[in-house]
Amino acid sequence: MATLIAPEHASPVEDAEALRKAFQGWGTDEKAVISILGHRTATQRQLIRHAYEEIYKEDLIKRLESELSGDFEKAVYRWILDPTDRDAVLLNVAIKHSPIPDYRVIVEISCIRSPEEFLAVKRAYQIRYKRSIEEDLASHTKGDIRKLLFALVSTFRYDGNEINARLANSEADVLRNAIKEREFNHEEIIRIVSTRSKLQLLATLNHYKDDYETSITKHLVDGPANDYLVALRTAIRCFNDPQKYYEKVIRNALNKPGTDEDALTRVIVTTAEKDLEVIKELYYKRNTVSLHKAVGKHTSGDYKAFLRALLGKED
Amino acid sequence: MATLIAPEHASPVEDAEALRKAFQGWGTDEKAVISILGHRTATQRQLIRHAYEEIYKEDLIKRLESELSGDFEKAVYRWILDPTDRDAVLLNVAIKHSPIPDYRVIVEISCIRSPEEFLAVKRAYQIRYKRSIEEDLASHTKGDIRKLLFALVSTFRYDGNEINARLANSEADVLRNAIKEREFNHEEIIRIVSTRSKLQLLATLNHYKDDYETSITKHLVDGPANDYLVALRTAIRCFNDPQKYYEKVIRNALNKPGTDEDALTRVIVTTAEKDLEVIKELYYKRNTVSLHKAVGKHTSGDYKAFLRALLGKED
């Protein structure tokens, strides 16, 4: 369930005019920007961009970048993009992240989006960067982490309902055998996690749990901490329960000294029109404080106001 | 240029009726089958299938399978399928080929089709088999050959015109360094060949040729013959010059003791509506005998008549 509160009907022209007004004069009227953009759906935001460009012969996104600053600017920029295009940008930033790629973002987007959604992201990436995600990722990574991420990003998974129960059973054993030998980077683990349909993989992970009385992620912690293992566990968490995964990302982002604004913004912006309501509930259950309050405590100013607008009704 | 000779207008209903007549009575009128199906475009063939199903409540493909036999049946079956669906079938047969997958077919289809064409094949594969090509391929292969084929099959390549000349130059060196060390299975070779856009890859291969005065395929023969190396060379040939590659497949298929009918059928059937005319010319230049004559010499009966129908005009 989405948290975004948007009017059913909004006039793109009036919104564009109001934004223009907010930009004019001395300083920017950030509150006006939030009251408009923080309450419009993806389609409405695209219509505002078109109307603004049409009327003022100026790119709204560029104007926003010059009017706003800091985490607030970043959040508005992420938010105003079409969701597919936004994923392409997030992936590109993650791949080029210095000194090493931000593996978690790559895993998150490639594992949580549906195969068709992710294919649309690949197309958006190519239109924007004139290269494929696959080639950029492969040329910025090496070794085991490349094997895993490349396979996650490149496979066009089957998304139908057919499940092969016998296969789930036998592949649960394959996983267990590799893990028992502490071969966490075993080719077969990567193959199963990165190529099987999500439903098939869930069936396999359930078999694993039934047969060995522990979830595979618990078994994967036994190993030495390294990027590959973290990425593998992240992938399995994303398949198993995306909302639970998102709750944890937000929790870690808020609890970090200094707050991880990039992660916080990413999760709120990418889920506000999808399942942020569920994530909010999970957050409350886990932390006995509402996400509204937690965000209020760890952020400030226009950035705080904007995130809280996307978070919707206070509980 | 295609070789297929098909009327601009054909009546699917009349064709369906004529086929029905050819099936009736004692034995099948194979000549009638060839004179119809051997001279219809992919769209016309689909319309005939629909008309036949509509009128006789029977699947034309199943009926053909029971009426025909041997290489002729196989060729007609391959031919009557929609080209995208046909590729899916060819890939599935190649992956399940015993005792080991038919690597060359997998390389051929994944490297010669455009990214969009190959994506359509992936969709057709999933509709037909309720699994992805990626998972079937990965679970039927191992080691280096899996790394290469999996990357070839899974990547959704960039298909635009942008080429990075500096990158082509530096990646030609990367290839050369790996080959000089005789690390033919080097991760970087697989990465470059399987993820770069075809135009970018051609630029890299040209740089290679300019800098080292030999084509990379020549350098790749130095190594011990193995499936991986054959697959890698095949991929590079398919990118470099698909028609030249096809000519060689046909030449080898015809020169083999006993003739490789599967390969011969595959190339003729998949190119008759595309570039078989060019392949015929290359064949003549290379062998100083026309492909018509060569096919006539190495095949017989209805199979021969059918292939020669698809080969079009005799030179």
Side-chain angles (χ1 to χ4, degrees):
Chain A
M1 245 184 77
T3 55
L4 182 73
I5 300 168
E8 227 178 289
H9 303 286
S11 156
V13 171
E14 280 172 27
D15 284 344
E17 286 168 351
L19 285 169
R20 181 68 167 195
K21 215 177 134 203
F23 301 150
Q24 276 162 341
W26 214 75
T28 308
D29 182 354
E30 284 90 356
K31 276 187 187 52
V33 173
I34 295 170
S35 74
I36 299 166
L37 293 181
H39 297 285
R40 295 294 183 275
T41 65
T43 311
Q44 290 171 338
R45 300 193 303 272
Q46 296 320 304
L47 292 173
I48 296 174
R49 278 178 66 183
H50 289 308
Y52 190 94
E53 172 102 44
E54 188 76 9
I55 304 171
Y56 304 110
K57 312 292 168 211
E58 180 183 66
D59 183 355
L60 175 59
I61 292 186
K62 285 210 179 109
R63 183 67 192 250
L64 283 164
E65 283 176 321
S66 78
E67 294 288 335
L68 314 176
S69 66
D71 294 320
F72 178 47
E73 176 204 334
K74 241 176 161 174
V76 170
Y77 176 70
R78 297 272 184 272
W79 174 246
I80 203 170
L81 291 175
D82 173 75
T84 304
D85 205 28
R86 176 203 299 145
D87 279 349
V89 170
L90 287 170
L91 281 166
N92 186 260
V93 171
I95 290 172
K96 302 207 157 153
H97 187 268
S98 177
I100 57 160
D102 191 342
Y103 303 134
R104 270 181 264 212
V105 175
I106 300 166
V107 171
E108 174 183 307
I109 296 177
S110 62
C111 296
I112 292 181
R113 303 295 174 263
S114 75
E116 286 296 340
E117 283 171 344
F118 195 66
L119 178 65
V121 174
K122 288 193 190 189
R123 290 189 194 280
Y125 192 100
Q126 294 194 10
I127 290 169
R128 200 171 250 271
Y129 303 108
K130 313 290 176 206
R131 290 184 309 275
S132 66
I133 294 183
E134 287 92 330
E135 64 188 305
D136 276 358
L137 176 69
S139 66
H140 281 81
T141 48
K142 268 191 195 159
D144 289 336
I145 189 96
R146 165 147 93 193
K147 278 184 208 157
L148 175 65
L149 293 185
F150 177 76
L152 288 176
V153 161
S154 63
T155 300
F156 181 54
R157 285 177 204 263
Y158 170 63
D159 199 24
N161 291 322
E162 305 261 331
I163 295 178
N164 182 335
R166 227 174 46 193
L167 185 72
N169 202 5
S170 71
E171 293 197 335
D173 290 343
V174 171
L175 293 175
R176 183 61 188 143
N177 289 336
I179 289 171
K180 224 158 65 187
E181 303 290 327
R182 305 182 66 81
E183 293 189 67
F184 300 114
N185 60 350
H186 197 286
E187 274 199 14
E188 292 294 285
I189 296 184
I190 296 178
R191 174 182 69 74
I192 293 169
V193 171
S194 64
T195 70
R196 292 302 183 195
S197 80
K198 293 191 191 184
L199 283 182
Q200 179 70 34
L201 188 58
L202 289 184
T204 302
L205 296 175
N206 283 333
H207 261 292
Y208 191 100
K209 216 168 176 172
D210 293 344
D211 294 349
Y212 306 111
E213 288 174 9
T214 317
S215 74
I216 189 168
T217 38
K218 291 249 165 64
H219 281 153
L220 287 171
V221 202
D222 293 349
N226 62 48
D227 290 335
Y228 164 76
L229 215 54
V230 171
L232 180 61
R233 283 203 304 264
T234 305
I236 292 170
R237 283 210 191 90
C238 287
F239 289 128
N240 254 331
D241 193 335
Q243 283 99 21
K244 208 171 143 192
Y245 160 82
Y246 279 135
E247 186 279 329
K248 196 178 174 184
V249 174
I250 291 182
R251 177 159 31 100
N252 289 343
L254 290 173
N255 293 347
K256 218 174 168 176
T259 312
D260 182 349
E261 286 88 2
D262 280 351
L264 181 66
T265 300
R266 189 183 74 247
V267 175
I268 291 183
V269 158
T270 56
T271 61
E273 288 183 87
K274 290 182 183 167
D275 47 5
L276 187 50
E277 196 60 50
V278 183
I279 300 162
K280 269 167 71 179
E281 282 165 30
L282 289 175
Y283 188 89
Y284 183 73
K285 270 190 206 156
R286 179 69 175 71
N287 305 278
T288 47
V289 57
S290 77
L291 188 51
H292 255 284
K293 278 216 183 93
V295 166
K297 191 179 156 197
H298 293 278
T299 63
S300 64
D302 300 318
Y303 177 56
K304 169 169 114 177
F306 182 61
L307 291 189
R308 302 220 311 186
L310 298 187
L311 279 169
K313 282 197 310 292
E314 194 144 2
D315 321 277
Chain B
M1 244 184 78
T3 56
L4 182 74
I5 299 168
E8 226 176 291
H9 302 287
S11 157
V13 171
E14 281 172 26
D15 285 344
E17 288 168 349
L19 284 171
R20 181 69 169 196
K21 214 176 134 204
F23 301 150
Q24 276 162 340
W26 214 77
T28 308
D29 182 354
E30 283 90 356
K31 276 187 188 53
V33 173
I34 295 171
S35 75
I36 298 166
L37 293 180
H39 297 285
R40 295 294 182 274
T41 64
T43 311
Q44 290 171 339
R45 300 194 301 275
Q46 296 321 305
L47 292 174
I48 295 174
R49 277 179 67 183
H50 289 308
Y52 190 92
E53 173 102 45
E54 187 77 9
I55 304 171
Y56 305 109
K57 313 292 168 210
E58 181 183 67
D59 182 354
L60 176 59
I61 293 187
K62 286 211 179 109
R63 183 67 190 249
L64 282 165
E65 282 177 321
S66 77
E67 294 287 335
L68 315 176
S69 66
D71 293 321
F72 178 47
E73 176 205 334
K74 240 176 161 174
V76 170
Y77 175 70
R78 298 271 184 272
W79 174 246
I80 203 172
L81 291 176
D82 171 76
T84 303
D85 205 28
R86 177 201 299 144
D87 279 348
V89 170
L90 288 169
L91 282 166
N92 186 260
V93 171
I95 290 172
K96 302 207 157 156
H97 187 269
S98 175
I100 56 160
D102 191 342
Y103 303 133
R104 269 181 265 214
V105 176
I106 299 166
V107 172
E108 176 183 305
I109 296 178
S110 62
C111 297
I112 292 181
R113 304 294 174 264
S114 74
E116 286 295 341
E117 283 170 344
F118 194 65
L119 177 64
V121 174
K122 287 193 191 190
R123 289 189 195 279
Y125 192 101
Q126 294 193 8
I127 289 169
R128 201 171 248 272
Y129 303 107
K130 312 291 175 206
R131 291 185 308 276
S132 66
I133 294 181
E134 288 92 330
E135 64 188 307
D136 276 358
L137 176 69
S139 65
H140 282 81
T141 49
K142 267 189 196 158
D144 289 337
I145 189 95
R146 167 148 93 193
K147 279 184 209 158
L148 175 65
L149 294 185
F150 176 76
L152 288 176
V153 161
S154 64
T155 300
F156 181 54
R157 284 178 204 265
Y158 171 63
D159 199 25
N161 292 322
E162 304 263 330
I163 294 178
N164 182 334
R166 227 174 45 192
L167 186 71
N169 202 6
S170 70
E171 292 197 334
D173 291 342
V174 171
L175 293 175
R176 182 61 186 142
N177 288 336
I179 289 171
K180 224 158 66 186
E181 304 289 327
R182 306 183 66 79
E183 293 188 67
F184 299 116
N185 60 351
H186 197 288
E187 273 200 14
E188 291 295 285
I189 296 184
I190 296 178
R191 174 182 69 76
I192 292 168
V193 171
S194 64
T195 70
R196 291 303 183 194
S197 80
K198 293 191 191 184
L199 283 182
Q200 179 70 34
L201 188 58
L202 289 183
T204 302
L205 296 175
N206 283 334
H207 261 290
Y208 191 101
K209 215 169 178 170
D210 292 346
D211 292 350
Y212 307 111
E213 287 175 8
T214 318
S215 74
I216 188 166
T217 39
K218 292 249 164 63
H219 281 154
L220 288 172
V221 202
D222 293 348
N226 62 47
D227 290 333
Y228 165 77
L229 216 55
V230 171
L232 180 62
R233 284 203 304 265
T234 305
I236 291 169
R237 282 207 192 93
C238 287
F239 289 127
N240 252 332
D241 193 336
Q243 285 98 21
K244 208 172 144 191
Y245 160 82
Y246 279 134
E247 185 281 326
K248 196 177 174 185
V249 174
I250 291 182
R251 175 158 33 98
N252 289 345
L254 290 173
N255 292 349
K256 217 173 169 176
T259 312
D260 182 349
E261 286 88 1
D262 279 351
L264 181 65
T265 301
R266 189 182 74 246
V267 175
I268 291 182
V269 159
T270 57
T271 61
E273 288 181 86
K274 289 182 184 166
D275 48 4
L276 187 51
E277 196 60 52
V278 182
I279 300 164
K280 270 166 71 180
E281 282 165 29
L282 289 174
Y283 188 90
Y284 183 73
K285 270 190 205 155
R286 179 67 177 72
N287 306 277
T288 48
V289 57
S290 77
L291 188 51
H292 256 284
K293 279 217 182 92
V295 166
K297 193 178 155 199
H298 293 276
T299 62
S300 64
D302 300 318
Y303 177 56
K304 169 168 116 177
F306 181 61
L307 291 189
R308 303 225 301 190
L310 299 187
L311 279 168
K313 284 198 310 292
E314 194 144 5
D315 321 274

